[in-house]
Amino acid sequence: MASREGESGLSRTLPQTLPQTLRTTLRDYRWEMNWWLGGLLFRGVIGVGLLTGWDEAYYYLYSQHLSWSYFDHPVMVALTTGIGPWLTGSVSQFTIRLGTLGLYTGSLVLLYATARQLWGRQPARLTLAIASVTPLFLLAFGTLTAPDSGLIFFGTLTLFWASREFFSPVDDDGPNDDGPGGAALQSPDRYRPTYRIALIGIALGLACISKYHGFLLGLGLVMFCLTSPPHRRALVSPWLVLSLLLFGLTLFPLWWWGLQTDWISFQFHLGLRFESEASNRFSLLQLLGVWGVGLAYLFPALGLPLWWVSVKGLWRQVWSHLSWQSDKSAAGGPASVRSRRALLLWVGLPIAAGFTLLGGAKHIFPAWPAPGLWWLTPLLGYHAAQWPRRSVRRWLSLSGWIVATLLTVALLHITLGVFQKGSPYAPLGGFIAPQQDPINELIDTVQLHRRLQADPKLAQALSEASFVFTNEFFLGGYVGMAVQSITQAPVTALPQDPRGFAQWFTPADHVGQNAIYMTTERHHRPDITNTFRPYFARFEPLGSVATTRQGVVTNTFYLYQATEFLKPYEYPY
């Protein structure tokens, strides 16, 4: 870690024309700003080179169908995805990620501020470093456009206000055998409710209209107050009434849309999305597999310590309630340490452990438990500050370099095809055949747009169509990004799992109109194509367009002219 002498030396290079207050801030936070700005630059490079994921393209369509809420998620992701194209007038993998790139930098600032409030500056710095190099965090929360970016920002803002509300700040110069700042951790018995409870209500509401995980975060805060006697005062405070009122007002987009749609989004997440799964039986082997995949995305050298300190912290909290001994170590540490640890465990562990356990019976994504692990990161920062400093520096430096190297190599393959057979940049000719490369599931929408625009026949057909459709909802976003500015026709999907398209597109309104059907080579099969023929008077091949990487075809889209929509397609909901 940088010393104060080193920081002072570096600060002398700052321009003398800067205001004194700004110079002081830059000097004091130079180490932290290197992480914030350096991380933003690194993630920005990834955001430029990494092709669009199907879910990102789907969220782009959210921004084209602005509403109070959506079938899959609340409204925030439409705003964070749309802000880049709205400001730049350009639609690409980079512009739809601009909102995420900015929000994550703010999330890192808030996580650092929360950890500093709870534990002091050294644990806060370690928390910042850990969160910055954990691949699951920097990709899922900090690069890809997703509901998680808003959830992490506003959820961490909620945790920041909670830490300010429930605890006094830690003296940075007071480390002892109780841990960093241990001598300065004041007793929680002095707690008195303040206006910050109202701010928590607003921030929590914004987290909930980002992703439904926010409700679990709120439940964790309530449970913390219930199980911490001094903080039960918050639950009977007049400020809580105002907080609940502001929370309800912030949720207006969610409950207003839900009332108009029979709460279809909650129906989907609480049951419909799992109906197609063959088995609901819990499997320990499946649970271990889900946990292992999540650990790989976290990077084991970072994920294992994070899980370890979380489980260890839970055990110490339970032991502190069960133990009748007066010895502070046997009882889980000083009261303030236990209370601060309890706050992090209550907001983080139910989400992290709960969704991981759900993975033993249902299919889940690694990003589902990840927000809980993010909010547990200050706990790892607190423990790491008590380890030998040289070992911690080696651990974080080595982890950071390995993660950065792996991500750089992956990005080089995505952009240059360094492992692809036939690529001029592949050492020894490459070893992955383009047809077998899983990276090809990602579509280069910018290139596809250019190829469609450059083909006069296809461009004219698209511009004259009344609507454009595809066969799967996860292809609809790709098609939407590819045909934007070529046609003003609505883009939809006609599958039996239409997700948001069932709200955006009413088939009965388009009977008698002409359409264009687009699909990928993977879905270009007679059994799929023939399902649409009865809905049109004529259904004829129009042409195809391919995307390439270093001269090698990676994806081919097939287009059909669908003349006269005869009858409405029946959506399941």
Side-chain angles (χ1 to χ4, degrees):
M1 302 300 116
S3 65
R4 291 192 175 275
E5 291 78 5
E7 291 173 354
S8 299
L10 288 171
S11 69
R12 287 193 291 269
T13 65
L14 295 173
Q16 298 297 319
T17 56
L18 289 177
Q20 182 59 38
T21 302
L22 181 58
R23 283 175 50 81
T24 301
T25 301
L26 291 175
R27 180 194 64 208
D28 291 345
Y29 288 93
R30 182 134 192 172
W31 188 94
E32 289 85 348
M33 290 186 68
N34 286 337
W35 280 97
W36 293 326
L37 298 181
L40 177 61
L41 177 62
F42 182 69
R43 288 180 287 106
V45 172
I46 296 176
V48 171
L50 181 62
L51 299 180
T52 310
W54 68 262
D55 50 346
E56 296 183 284
Y58 178 55
Y59 299 139
Y60 162 74
L61 291 183
Y62 278 35
S63 69
Q64 303 304 297
H65 298 85
L66 290 178
S67 179
W68 289 112
S69 194
Y70 297 90
F71 181 89
D72 314 71
H73 297 288
V75 66
M76 191 63 70
V77 68
L79 306 179
T80 57
T81 304
I83 188 69
W86 296 335
L87 290 177
T88 64
S90 173
V91 178
S92 68
Q93 63 263 31
F94 179 64
T95 59
I96 66 173
R97 293 166 178 161
L98 284 175
T100 293
L101 292 169
L103 277 182
Y104 188 70
T105 302
S107 298
L108 286 171
V109 173
L110 289 170
L111 190 69
Y112 169 85
T114 301
R116 186 165 183 177
Q117 174 75 16
L118 292 174
W119 308 119
R121 187 167 194 177
Q122 184 64 7
R125 285 183 161 187
L126 293 174
T127 298
L128 171 60
I130 293 165
S132 297
V133 301
T134 300
L136 180 57
F137 295 165
L138 71 90
L139 290 175
F141 302 157
T143 305
L144 308 179
T145 184
D148 300 274
S149 58
L151 169 71
I152 292 302
F153 179 82
F154 292 111
T156 309
L157 178 62
T158 302
L159 183 58
F160 168 72
W161 284 122
S163 68
R164 294 286 302 273
E165 168 65 19
F166 298 135
F167 304 106
S168 58
V170 172
D171 182 0
D172 291 328
D173 298 319
N176 62 14
D177 57 354
D178 295 331
L185 295 179
Q186 297 182 14
S187 171
D189 293 334
R190 301 179 183 179
Y191 170 67
R192 294 292 182 272
T194 72
Y195 69 93
R196 296 187 184 93
I197 295 177
L199 299 179
I200 291 173
I202 298 174
L204 183 61
L206 292 170
C208 290
I209 63 170
S210 297
K211 197 173 183 178
Y212 297 130
H213 284 56
F215 289 103
L216 297 177
L217 172 62
L219 180 61
L221 288 175
V222 172
M223 293 304 298
F224 165 74
C225 291
L226 284 173
T227 56
S228 177
H231 299 107
R232 289 174 192 161
R233 301 187 186 106
L235 300 179
V236 295
S237 166
W239 288 111
L240 182 64
V241 178
L242 178 59
S243 181
L244 291 174
L245 177 62
L246 294 172
F247 177 69
L249 289 175
T250 309
L251 288 183
F252 171 81
L254 188 60
W255 57 259
W256 179 254
W257 189 85
L259 288 171
Q260 298 178 68
T261 58
D262 197 27
W263 304 99
I264 185 64
S265 185
F266 287 98
Q267 291 184 49
F268 170 71
H269 282 289
L270 295 176
L272 290 176
R273 73 177 306 147
F274 300 117
E275 286 182 353
S276 61
E277 297 192 17
S279 174
N280 291 326
R281 297 181 60 184
F282 183 84
S283 168
L284 180 60
L285 186 61
Q286 182 175 328
L287 170 64
L288 292 175
V290 167
W291 182 77
V293 170
L295 194 64
Y297 277 101
L298 287 168
F299 189 67
L302 300 168
L304 282 173
L306 182 55
W307 274 107
W308 169 249
V309 299
S310 301
V311 173
K312 179 183 177 182
L314 176 63
W315 166 249
R316 296 193 70 180
Q317 292 298 121
V318 172
W319 181 248
S320 70
H321 287 287
L322 298 178
S323 176
W324 292 91
Q325 302 179 50
S326 59
D327 179 75
K328 69 180 182 180
S329 61
S336 187
V337 172
R338 294 199 307 270
S339 189
R340 293 165 193 248
R341 182 171 60 215
L343 174 64
L344 297 175
L345 290 172
W346 271 119
V347 300
L349 201 55
I351 295 175
F355 279 105
T356 301
L357 289 171
L358 179 65
K362 307 287 187 179
H363 171 70
I364 72 164
F365 294 99
W368 290 9
L373 295 168
W374 166 271
W375 292 316
L376 288 166
T377 304
L379 189 58
L380 178 56
Y382 168 73
H383 284 276
Q386 302 174 57
W387 302 340
R389 181 165 295 192
R390 179 174 298 180
S391 299
V392 171
R393 183 183 292 120
R394 289 176 179 173
W395 165 54
L396 288 177
S397 297
L398 186 59
S399 297
W401 279 111
I402 293 176
V403 168
T405 300
L406 292 175
L407 291 178
T408 300
V409 170
L411 191 63
L412 287 174
H413 176 61
I414 292 170
T415 55
L416 301 178
V418 294
F419 301 129
Q420 173 187 288
K421 289 182 178 180
S423 170
Y425 297 97
L428 304 177
F431 57 88
I432 300 179
Q435 300 81 4
Q436 300 173 345
D437 193 343
I439 293 299
N440 291 345
E441 294 296 317
L442 305 177
I443 307 296
D444 188 341
T445 56
V446 174
Q447 185 183 157
L448 180 60
H449 173 78
R450 291 171 180 166
R451 297 288 172 89
L452 289 170
Q453 203 169 37
D455 189 312
K457 178 183 177 181
L458 298 181
Q460 181 177 356
L462 285 167
S463 66
E464 295 175 351
S466 297
F467 66 96
V468 181
F469 73 98
T470 186
N471 59 292
E472 294 288 355
F473 86 91
F474 53 80
L475 294 177
Y478 284 136
V479 173
M481 292 183 69
V483 304
Q484 53 84 26
S485 82
I486 299 177
T487 180
Q488 298 301 312
V491 174
T492 190
L494 301 179
Q496 283 301 292
D497 181 14
R499 305 291 175 97
F501 291 105
Q503 275 72 47
W504 301 331
F505 186 80
T506 304
D509 295 343
H510 298 272
V511 171
Q513 297 180 350
N514 300 330
I516 296 294
Y517 170 63
M518 288 182 62
T519 192
T520 60
E521 184 172 12
R522 174 183 169 188
H523 297 91
H524 187 235
R525 306 195 315 260
D527 60 315
I528 296 178
T529 305
N530 290 339
T531 60
F532 300 114
R533 293 186 185 279
Y535 290 91
F536 295 91
R538 290 197 306 275
F539 199 81
E540 303 168 333
L542 182 63
S544 63
V545 61
T547 59
T548 62
R549 179 173 59 230
Q550 300 305 322
V552 178
V553 174
T554 55
N555 279 289
T556 302
F557 272 79
Y558 293 85
L559 287 77
Y560 283 74
Q561 181 75 61
T563 306
E564 193 180 352
F565 194 33
L566 298 176
K567 58 182 179 179
Y569 183 88
E570 295 293 335
Y571 285 132
Y573 40 76

